[in-house]
Amino acid sequence: MTSVRPDPAQVQALAARLRETGRGGAEAASGAPLSLLHVPTGGCGGCRLELALLFEPPWDSGRHGLRLVTDPRHADVLVATGPLARNAAGALLRAWEAMPEPRFLLALGDCASDPAPDGGAPYALAPGGVRGLLPVDLALRGSPPPPGSILLGLLTLRDAIRGRAGPAISR
Amino acid sequence: MSGAVPPRGLFPHDPADGIRNLRREGIRHVLDGAAWAQLAAELGGRLGQMRLLALWAEASGQVHALFHPDRTRPLIASVPTEAGRYLALSGPAPIAAPYERMVRDLHGFEAMHARDLRPMLDHGAWPATAPMAERPGPPPRGPEPPEWLPVEDETLSLVETGPVGALEGLLRTRLAMRGREIAAAEWAHGFGHRGLLAALQGRDTEDAAALAERLAAGATVAHAVAFARAVEQATATEIPPEAARIRAIAGEAERVAAFLATIGDVARAAGAERLAARAGALLSPWRDAMGAAFGHRLARLVVRPGGVARALGAEGAAALADAADSLRRSLAGFARLQATSLAPVLEGLAVVDGERAVRFGASGIVGRAAGQGFDARRLHPQAGVPVEASVAEEGCAATRLRLRLRGIEEAAVRLVALLAVAPDGPARVELGRARGEGIGCAEAPEGEAWHFVRLDAEGRVASAFLRDPSLPHALLAADVLRSTPLAQGGPPAAALRLSFGIAIEGLDL
């Protein structure tokens, strides 16, 4: 149950993506907290249970400049969990469109990360999953990933946005 | 739990003039239309205590209703649909309504004289209507917003939220407010519908079990046990005592985690941040211990049809015992904080009385807070360790929180007792046969999980149904929020809703 860092290839690709799309650097480097909006897209709820732990002790991710919000208009990062139910696609898209630029998308867990997610019937799941609908900036594998891995992923994203590398955390 | 056939008629407690079944099919009693109509008519009176738990359908054209009349043996009554129709049970038994809506959405069978005909899971986003029917219907017109129940009084102000932003999942809520009083509350769900019932078909029991336990993460073990028990009944398999012990250990570990998570959720929603922090601080190491003991922090893939995946190692058992010990030392302080911070603001709010609890088929904490003492753990051998589950009468949001707190202590005590029973014998057996029908039940943290399965000659799932305890509790939550005043400085409606411990995933299937 050790915490796993996102693999280096993915982190490099993330940095390149942020440069290309002009979404890193100045504004984000101000030190303002990174606000996360969780949008469950049709999973078992396991990722939500682990994500929720991060915002209470002993993780207390507020001290790392991370916080949860419930309104897309105040969010930097959309955290999608689940294989993307067709019934959830509209809500996901509306939440994404309501977020101010620059905005970032984290696919949390195997279901949201996989371009061909399993775990449901074809009539109910959108083909291509979350990736089929929106551009994913960082994907964290695991079913669900343990809190430490989620935190490492979020800090990787935070630092990439701020134009720095390599998070160091302690619990 | 295997159903001995009652001597005459369907109902063992009334053999004299019971309802005649046409025939037995698997574990079910198939009724003709007239007998089903008699059943429907008498559910409102003589058969009012039948405890309707669920209703579902199969593409072949039958509708099944699950009852648990004497709380020892479930009964399933089936009726063949005629021209795609069957008589609704929701008139006399309102709890049937959401299931009738689900049957219509998935199979296209219409419940005649139903209480509620609005779509529930079908939001107009699927490629076909009635996707589980033998011949699915034409594609819908496109995504549609939920149809809310009409509000008669035009002076009420309507407050809608969601589906994004609810703490517990994708959920749309609508409150009709009269000043600061909730005049009506309603939820719309189904956004996370994955098509689990269809996805189970054709899988072997191993694969199907792995999917069924993902119905709702907070009740992974309970759903795995309910599904495994259904398969074990279908295949005439008796699991070894060691498997029952490990299942019980995993179940109690899950109960502790779920109650801590729910207390944390309610606390967060009510602004009781100190309590939410304490709940998180207790839950994190608890999940670590579950990970050490079961190889997965939610104990996924532990329970398997025929037993459990592997024996519980000494190190894992020690991790759980240590975690239980340190948790129990923290509980008194946690309870004091809860009693001073959160309980006072929830006292007397969102009250479920005994009559409502029975009428809606409440179970688990919601049921026990309203005097309903039934606990499905008592239906199965528990490695000789008795089940303690506190019951109360007041039925308010604070009572539910208190019972969850007591439940943490009770589960931890049982866990330690179960760990102290010496491991003995194999933890898994081969399934007895391939084909058959079964129903399985497990006491999830928030109530009764029931799974039905029919296996074909190759041992693959021909048909399955999964019942999460949340559905009646979601209806109850909306029902009792009516005429609840939201006082200045009091808890928001979301905190009261969260006190019902509803798993949206479990409703959405």
Side-chain angles (χ1 to χ4, degrees), chain A residues 61-135:
Chain A
S61 296
R63 66 197 164 112
H64 300 299
L66 301 172
R67 66 177 179 193
L68 279 177
V69 296
T70 56
D71 187 332
R73 288 170 298 183
H74 309 308
D76 301 279
V77 182
L78 192 157
V79 179
T81 55
L84 191 57
R86 291 181 197 259
N87 285 356
L92 174 63
L93 203 57
R94 275 192 299 280
W96 178 251
E97 283 169 354
M99 286 168 63
E101 306 263 10
R103 56 195 174 189
F104 307 90
L105 179 60
L106 178 77
L108 176 57
D110 285 344
C111 297
S113 300
D114 205 306
D118 183 30
Y123 80 81
L125 299 184
V130 173
R131 284 177 191 278
L133 191 67
L134 293 173

Side-chain angles (χ1 to χ4, degrees), chain B residues 373-386:
Chain B
F374 176 75
D375 189 305
R377 284 174 289 181
R378 299 198 179 99
L379 295 175
H380 292 273
Q382 298 280 333
V385 176

Side-chain angles (χ1 to χ4, degrees), chain B residues 101-409:
Chain B
R101 294 170 69 187
M102 209 184 293
V103 164
R104 194 177 103 141
D105 286 354
L106 297 178
H107 290 93
F109 299 140
E110 296 278 343
M112 308 304 287
H113 305 295
R115 234 170 227 266
D116 194 339
L117 295 167
R118 295 170 301 151
M120 186 169 83
L121 297 178
D122 184 352
H123 294 192
W126 302 335
T129 47
M132 288 184 73
E134 213 144 58
R135 284 199 313 248
R141 276 173 310 190
E144 296 195 0
E147 280 174 45
W148 299 109
L149 291 172
V151 173
E152 308 291 331
D153 185 346
E154 286 178 6
T155 63
L156 299 178
S157 52
L158 301 176
V159 184
E160 283 191 37
T161 65
V164 170
L167 200 58
E168 71 268 48
L170 283 178
L171 184 72
R172 281 185 73 149
T173 73
R174 192 192 64 172
L175 302 179
M177 303 296 299
R178 182 180 292 114
R180 298 197 64 85
E181 184 188 283
I182 302 173
E186 208 189 335
W187 332 127
H189 66 95
F191 297 94
H193 178 72
R194 289 168 274 169
L196 285 181
L197 300 182
L200 285 166
Q201 292 173 355
R203 293 186 188 231
D204 63 31
T205 52
E206 201 70 6
D207 235 19
L211 186 58
E213 72 176 7
R214 282 157 62 192
L215 174 58
T220 300
V221 175
H223 284 300
V225 169
F227 190 81
R229 282 179 179 153
V231 169
E232 287 148 12
Q233 187 187 16
T235 57
T237 307
E238 196 164 332
I239 63 163
E242 178 61 1
R245 187 181 77 98
I246 296 173
R247 285 180 180 185
I249 290 170
E252 297 309 326
E254 172 169 275
R255 209 173 306 281
V256 168
F259 289 161
L260 283 171
T262 302
I263 293 172
D265 283 349
V266 177
R268 209 167 292 123
E273 293 181 4
R274 219 179 124 184
L275 185 67
R278 286 285 287 278
L282 294 174
L283 180 51
S284 255
W286 187 261
R287 286 241 181 83
D288 293 344
M290 286 180 70
F294 304 117
H296 191 282
R297 294 163 54 85
L298 304 171
R300 200 173 275 171
L301 298 178
V302 170
V303 178
R304 313 302 297 148
V308 293
R310 69 195 79 83
L312 186 62
E315 261 178 59
L320 278 180
D322 287 351
D325 191 46
S326 98
L327 175 73
R328 288 182 64 196
R329 274 186 275 115
S330 309
L331 277 182
F334 187 60
R336 271 197 306 276
L337 182 58
Q338 207 252 157
T340 49
S341 67
L342 187 55
V345 301
L346 298 178
E347 213 67 66
L349 295 177
V351 178
V352 176
D353 55 38
E355 181 274 323
R356 270 196 180 108
V358 170
R359 184 153 47 91
F360 282 83
S363 61
I365 293 293
V366 177
R368 283 202 286 281
Q372 305 300 304
F374 176 75
D375 189 305
R377 284 174 289 181
R378 299 198 179 99
L379 295 175
H380 292 273
Q382 298 280 333
V385 176
V387 173
E388 296 285 335
S390 297
V391 178
E393 301 291 336
E394 302 85 353
C396 71
T399 316
R400 290 189 284 277
L401 276 206
R402 272 195 289 276
L403 284 191
R404 287 193 184 95
L405 255 167
R406 290 288 302 277
I408 293 170
E409 169 83 22

Side-chain angles (χ1 to χ4, degrees), chain B residues 434-468:
Chain B
R435 186 202 288 271
E437 245 182 47
I439 181 107
C441 174
E443 183 74 18
E446 294 295 340
E448 294 163 51
W450 288 87
H451 290 202
F452 168 83
V453 70
R454 180 161 61 254
L455 303 174
D456 66 16
E458 278 83 51
R460 292 182 180 277
V461 174
S463 176
F465 183 74
L466 318 178
R467 178 211 191 251
D468 187 87

